[in-house]
Amino acid sequence: MSGDAALSVQGDDAFASTVLPRRDAHDDDLDLPFRRAGRAPRIAIVHEWLQVNAGSERVLEQLLLCFPDADLFSTVDFMAPKDRAFLKGKPVTTTFIQKLPAAKKLFRHYLGLMPMAIEQLDLSAYDIVISSNHAVAKGVLTGPDQIHISYVHSPMRYIWDLQHQYLRQAGLGWSLKAIYVRWLFNKMRLWDFSSAQHVDHFIANSRYIARRVKKAYGRPSSVIHPPVDVTAFTIGETKDDFYLLAGRFVPYKRADLVVSVFQADPSRRLVVVGDGPEAARVHAAAKGASNIEFRGSVPKAELVDLMQHARAAIFAAEEDFGIAMVEVQACGTPVIAFGKGGALDIIDTAEDAAPTGILFEEQTVDSITDALTRFDARADAMSPDTCRANALRFSEESFRDRMHAFVRETTGAVV
């Protein structure tokens, strides 16, 4: 699928109704230097920080494939040699935080300096700036002859709507340190909002994040879902009689809740993959139930095999997007997920067509138990081929096509 048809986005939110932004009247009259000179635009890509190769780095990898001649900037670059092959040797320009004491291990502790640091990057030589933002990257300074497009993974959760949850989990009450953190977050919110007003176009990675951008910054967003390497997954030949719970054991994932559901229903088998700071809590929720099997952290090949053969996979978290859900669907496996966040963009629950999963309304034992019952009633309608076809909407190729189309539409550049 290509063109406008490939770029439509589900949902009736006015600020997330299409991936192609409506141009203002003056946009057609922009006399940008690269247009005037009849040359290709000079492009800069600004990444948050380079430390591990995770979700936002998948987006960066595809941006570099989209715009191979772009120059790359980041607050810091401490990525290990074994993880940086996707950069293809491209040099990275960093900020002064790179050289601060203990920055390699503690650069996040310099959060209060990051707004100033990101503003010191000199991008005046570029026509188009693309920032990959979940903290400060969108704060780079640009001028009237430049177009700044910001791809937002999420506004900073810990300074906006999840501040209170973050402070509780960090055990910060009203000590002097806690008062300082609250003061810092207040200052960061002011800067975060202000810097957002200087971005020309926002892209959100899901309709949920588009709503968060609208709430935090008062700005509309187009939606381009993050890239997923669906080619790394194939449909399993058979389905076994078990459900799969896989992910890092951290509080918001609610793995303990899912385990509790199966502990109360010994007729259903659950295979649990993962580890993390909540491991003891998750194991305790099983109460030694024989129908729950803990595998710990497993090699990717084993995880893919479990994805292929599970009756369904269960996700109880409110995710910004949820790449793992797409990977499960690419294996031809239905998903049972909490019906908020990115799951609403991924799971097709169509009543009049072949669904690819079930959504539950509350993060409670009763709600998940009800979802399992509803899944039993509709499982035969969820074919592996339909699940995989649904996942293909989020392919890396699709992401690149949409990014190219977006840049062409918003800048007039031939890229």
Side-chain angles (χ1 to χ4, degrees):
M1 199 158 55
S2 60
D4 288 357
L7 300 172
S8 63
V9 176
Q10 297 176 355
D12 9 39
D13 298 82
F15 52 88
S17 59
T18 176
V19 76
L20 292 180
R22 180 178 177 180
R23 287 187 176 186
D24 293 331
H26 68 275
D27 283 352
D28 291 325
D29 299 324
L30 285 177
D31 188 21
L32 297 176
F34 72 90
R35 292 179 182 173
R36 192 165 57 245
R39 59 171 173 77
R42 292 186 290 264
I43 300 176
I45 296 175
V46 184
H47 191 61
E48 206 68 74
W49 48 66
L50 288 164
Q51 183 192 34
V52 296
N53 194 343
S56 64
E57 284 69 36
R58 298 186 189 186
V59 170
L60 175 60
E61 178 180 15
Q62 296 306 311
L63 288 176
L64 292 173
L65 290 174
C66 284
F67 313 108
D69 295 328
D71 290 332
L72 179 58
F73 297 79
S74 179
T75 53
V76 297
D77 178 11
F78 295 120
M79 184 166 284
K82 64 181 180 62
D83 295 327
R84 60 190 305 117
F86 74 97
L87 296 176
K88 296 181 171 57
K90 185 177 288 290
V92 182
T93 301
T94 58
T95 71
F96 66 80
I97 292 178
Q98 180 83 17
K99 297 181 180 180
L100 292 181
K104 185 171 184 178
K105 292 184 178 180
L106 302 175
F107 68 88
R108 289 180 178 84
H109 289 239
Y110 292 114
L111 177 65
L113 293 175
M114 285 186 181
M116 179 173 65
I118 205 74
E119 290 173 354
Q120 302 314 304
L121 292 174
D122 183 0
L123 304 182
S124 58
Y126 299 92
D127 303 295
I128 299 171
V129 175
I130 302 173
S131 59
S132 172
N133 181 85
H134 59 78
V136 300
K138 71 172 185 352
V140 291
L141 302 179
T142 55
D145 285 340
Q146 297 172 290
I147 298 294
H148 180 183
I149 298 168
S150 186
Y151 187 95
V152 181
H153 307 276
S154 174
M156 284 184 275
R157 307 174 190 87
Y158 41 89
I159 70 167
W160 289 102
D161 51 310
L162 297 185
Q163 173 189 283
H164 303 295
Q165 178 181 329
Y166 169 84
L167 293 172
R168 281 195 303 271
Q169 291 175 357
L172 294 173
W174 285 100
S175 64
L176 286 177
K177 178 181 178 181
I179 292 172
Y180 166 75
V181 170
R182 286 174 167 84
W183 173 85
L184 175 61
F185 284 2
N186 174 264
K187 296 299 182 184
M188 290 293 294
R189 276 192 297 276
L190 295 174
W191 176 85
D192 200 35
F193 177 84
S194 176
S195 65
Q197 309 317 305
H198 301 284
V199 173
D200 295 291
H201 302 283
F202 277 107
I203 301 172
N205 73 355
S206 69
R207 289 179 292 162
Y208 173 62
I209 294 303
R211 292 195 298 275
R212 296 192 76 235
V213 169
K214 181 72 172 181
K215 186 72 173 181
Y217 307 144
R219 297 289 307 279
S221 299
S222 301
V223 174
I224 300 179
H225 297 113
V228 183
D229 183 11
V230 293
T231 61
F233 303 87
T234 56
I235 295 175
E237 295 182 2
T238 59
K239 293 295 180 187
D240 296 332
D241 192 22
F242 71 90
Y243 295 85
L244 177 64
L245 170 64
R248 183 160 170 75
F249 297 159
V250 291
Y252 88 94
K253 294 283 189 181
R254 298 308 311 271
D256 60 320
L257 177 63
V258 176
V259 170
S260 295
V261 171
F262 284 82
Q263 190 278 331
D265 184 1
S267 68
R268 300 180 191 273
R269 181 182 166 214
L270 178 69
V271 175
V272 183
V273 173
D275 202 352
E278 291 277 292
R281 181 183 179 92
V282 176
H283 282 263
K287 298 179 181 178
S290 60
N291 62 314
I292 301 173
E293 178 186 353
F294 289 93
R295 297 267 185 108
S297 297
V298 301
K300 182 177 180 179
E302 183 177 342
L303 177 58
V304 172
D305 183 74
L306 289 168
M307 288 178 174
Q308 291 172 327
H309 294 95
R311 178 169 166 81
I314 304 180
F315 297 87
E318 182 175 335
E319 300 282 5
D320 294 337
F321 177 65
I323 287 176
M325 285 185 267
V326 177
E327 293 173 342
V328 166
Q329 297 262 275
C331 291
T333 299
V335 168
I336 301 170
F338 181 41
K340 287 188 177 181
L344 295 173
D345 286 17
I346 297 169
I347 310 307
D348 187 350
T349 60
E351 295 291 337
D352 57 350
T356 68
I358 295 288
L359 299 176
F360 53 92
E361 296 300 315
E362 299 177 343
Q363 290 172 311
T364 64
V365 168
D366 288 344
S367 189
I368 297 176
T369 301
D370 173 70
L372 287 167
T373 300
R374 288 186 287 119
F375 173 76
D376 287 340
R378 302 197 71 192
D380 290 344
M382 301 182 193
S383 75
D385 287 337
T386 301
C387 290
R388 179 164 179 80
N390 181 50
L392 295 179
R393 297 186 294 128
F394 308 101
S395 70
E396 294 173 336
E397 181 181 9
S398 178
F399 175 85
R400 294 194 299 270
D401 287 345
R402 295 178 183 197
M403 282 301 304
H404 274 130
F406 190 94
V407 172
R408 286 195 301 270
E409 176 67 18
T410 56
T411 70
V414 178
V415 290

